[in-house]
Amino acid sequence: MDSIFLVVATVVMTVTVIFGGKAFWDWRKNRTPQLDLEELEAERAEFLQSNFDKATADFKYIEEAKQNISDRELAAQVKRLQKVAKNLLTHLENHPDRISLASKFIDYYQDRAVKIIKQYQELESTQLSTGKVQELKDRMKLTLSALHDAYSDQFEHILNDQIVSADAELTVMEQQLDAEGIRRQTVDIGEVDEFGNVRIDTDLLNNPLGGVDRNMVPVMTSRRKRKRDNQITESQQSFPEEERPQIVQRKLIQSALAIFLGSIGAHKFYQGKTFQGVLYILFFWTTLPTWIGFIEGVRYLFMPVEDFYNQYIDKK
C-alpha cells in the first residue's frame, strides 16, 4: 500500500513540475516587461541635479574669479563666456530634462575654463614676466576666446530639437503661404511706437482684402493712425530749438510789414521775393495789395512757429 501511494505521489509531483514549469516558462516568455520607473526616475533626477550643481558651482567660481582678473583683455573674454553660460544654465533650469544634453559643456568646456583661469591666476601670482610665461598666458587667452564659440555651439546643440521643430513648422507655413500666393517680406521687430508698445511688422500681404488691393494689413484704428501720422509730420517739421527766439522775431516783423506796408509789398521784399514785391507796387493803386497784405500779415501772426519755419525759413 505504501509503495502504491509513493508511486502515485511521484507521478503527481512529476506531472505538476512538468506542466507547472511549462506554464511558468510560457508566462515569462509572453509577459510584458515592467520597469521600476519610480526608482529609475529617482536615480535620473539625482543624476541631473548632480550635473546641474556642478555646472552652477563652476559658473560661480568663474564669476568670482572674474572680479580679481587684472588683465582687461582676459576679463572681457571671461565676461563673454559667462554671458553665454548664464543663459545656458537658465535654460537648463527651466528645462531640466535637457541637462543630459549639456554633458560636454558641463564636464569638459566649462570645466576646462575653470582650470585655465586657475592656472592663469597662479601664473599671475608668481609675478614672472619671462617670455615663456607671457607666451603661455597668451595661449590661455586664445583658448578662452575659442571656448566662447564652443559654449555657443553647445547651447545650439541643446536647442537642436527645438530648432528643428520650429524650422519644420516654418517650412510648412512658408509652403502654405506660397501656395496661396501670399508674398513674404522681412519682419521688422523691436521698434517702439508713439504709444510705448513694441511694434511687430508682420508680413505684408499683396492680396485683395475685402475686394480692395492693399499693401499692408491695418494694425490700429483710424484715430490712432491719424495721431501717429500727425506726430510723424510734426517730428519731420522740427527746427533747432535754440533758434526759436530769432524765428519768432522774424515772424512778427514779417507780419507787421504785411499788415502796415503790405500795399507796397514790403513783406515780400523782406522774404527775398523781389518780383512779387514789384507786382505789389505796380498794383498799389488798386488797393488790392493792401487787402492781400493785411490778410497775409494776420496769417503770419497766428501761424505756428514750426509751420512758419518750414514754409518761410527752412526752404531757403
Side-chain angles (χ1 to χ4, degrees):
M1 189 67 178
D2 291 337
S3 299
I4 296 174
F5 176 79
L6 182 60
V7 171
V8 172
T10 303
V11 171
V12 171
M13 290 179 62
T14 303
V15 171
T16 301
V17 170
I18 293 173
F19 285 97
K22 186 177 184 305
F24 176 79
W25 178 257
D26 291 340
W27 170 81
R28 182 177 177 82
K29 182 179 179 181
N30 298 321
R31 75 183 181 89
T32 302
Q34 297 292 326
L35 299 177
D36 190 353
L37 295 178
E38 183 176 354
E39 182 179 352
L40 181 63
E41 287 300 323
E43 291 180 357
R44 177 174 173 79
E46 183 179 356
F47 170 77
L48 296 179
Q49 186 64 55
S50 175
N51 278 266
F52 186 74
D53 289 345
K54 180 183 184 307
T56 303
D58 287 343
F59 175 85
K60 289 181 178 178
Y61 174 83
I62 296 175
E63 193 68 17
E64 293 176 0
K66 183 181 67 175
Q67 309 301 325
N68 300 321
I69 295 176
S70 57
D71 189 299
R72 293 185 178 181
E73 183 181 359
L74 180 63
Q77 291 174 349
V78 173
K79 184 177 181 181
R80 292 176 65 225
L81 280 180
Q82 288 296 88
K83 183 177 180 181
V84 179
K86 182 179 180 181
N87 293 335
L88 194 156
L89 291 176
T90 300
H91 180 78
L92 294 180
E93 183 179 5
N94 296 328
H95 303 276
D97 56 303
R98 298 180 181 177
I99 293 177
S100 58
L101 298 174
S103 58
K104 194 170 185 179
F105 165 77
I106 297 172
D107 297 328
Y108 187 75
Y109 289 127
Q110 189 172 238
D111 185 72
R112 291 302 180 273
V114 169
K115 291 182 178 179
I116 291 173
I117 292 173
K118 284 182 178 179
Q119 292 171 350
Y120 190 94
Q121 289 179 323
E122 289 176 359
L123 287 176
E124 283 280 274
S125 64
T126 65
Q127 298 184 355
L128 289 175
S129 58
T130 63
K132 186 65 176 178
V133 171
Q134 189 59 45
E135 179 186 354
L136 189 57
K137 287 182 179 180
D138 292 339
R139 288 175 59 194
M140 288 178 177
K141 288 192 283 187
L142 287 174
T143 303
L144 285 176
S145 179
L147 278 177
H148 176 268
D149 294 335
Y151 274 31
S152 300
D153 289 342
Q154 282 298 297
F155 202 172
E156 183 177 336
H157 169 70
I158 295 169
L159 295 174
N160 183 62
D161 291 343
Q162 184 176 342
I163 293 173
V164 170
S165 176
D167 180 67
E169 185 176 349
L170 284 173
T171 300
V172 173
M173 186 179 298
E174 289 167 354
Q175 292 174 350
Q176 182 66 27
L177 292 174
D178 291 340
E180 295 179 4
I182 300 176
R183 183 165 59 89
R184 292 174 282 109
Q185 290 188 350
T186 303
V187 179
D188 183 12
I189 302 177
E191 293 186 12
V192 180
D193 62 16
E194 68 276 11
F195 305 101
N197 301 318
V198 176
R199 181 171 60 80
I200 301 179
D201 293 340
T202 56
D203 294 343
L204 301 181
L205 308 180
N206 262 354
N207 62 322
L209 296 175
V212 179
D213 290 335
R214 301 188 182 183
N215 290 326
M216 71 169 57
V217 179
V219 294
M220 62 177 67
T221 62
S222 58
R223 179 180 296 179
R224 291 182 67 187
K225 187 175 186 300
R226 285 197 301 269
K227 183 178 179 181
R228 183 198 64 181
D229 293 341
N230 291 338
Q231 291 180 347
I232 291 175
T233 301
E234 291 175 2
S235 64
Q236 291 174 344
Q237 295 175 343
S238 60
F239 61 90
E241 189 63 29
E242 63 274 10
E243 296 183 12
R244 178 181 287 271
Q246 292 86 348
I247 297 171
V248 172
Q249 181 182 11
R250 184 182 181 88
K251 185 168 78 79
L252 293 177
I253 294 174
Q254 186 168 310
S255 176
L257 290 175
I259 292 173
F260 299 106
L261 298 174
S263 57
I264 58 173
H267 59 296
K268 295 298 181 182
F269 288 107
Y270 183 73
Q271 296 173 34
K273 300 178 180 179
T274 306
F275 179 75
Q276 294 184 19
V278 172
L279 290 179
Y280 272 68
I281 294 175
L282 292 176
F283 290 94
F284 168 75
W285 59 275
T286 64
T287 69
L288 183 61
T290 302
W291 293 108
I292 295 177
F294 179 80
I295 295 172
E296 287 181 322
V298 173
R299 186 169 69 88
Y300 300 151
L301 184 62
F302 293 100
M303 179 181 292
V305 179
E306 292 83 359
D307 293 344
F308 182 84
Y309 173 82
N310 287 289
Q311 188 170 349
Y312 296 104
I313 299 178
D314 186 47
K315 289 184 178 181
K316 294 182 180 181

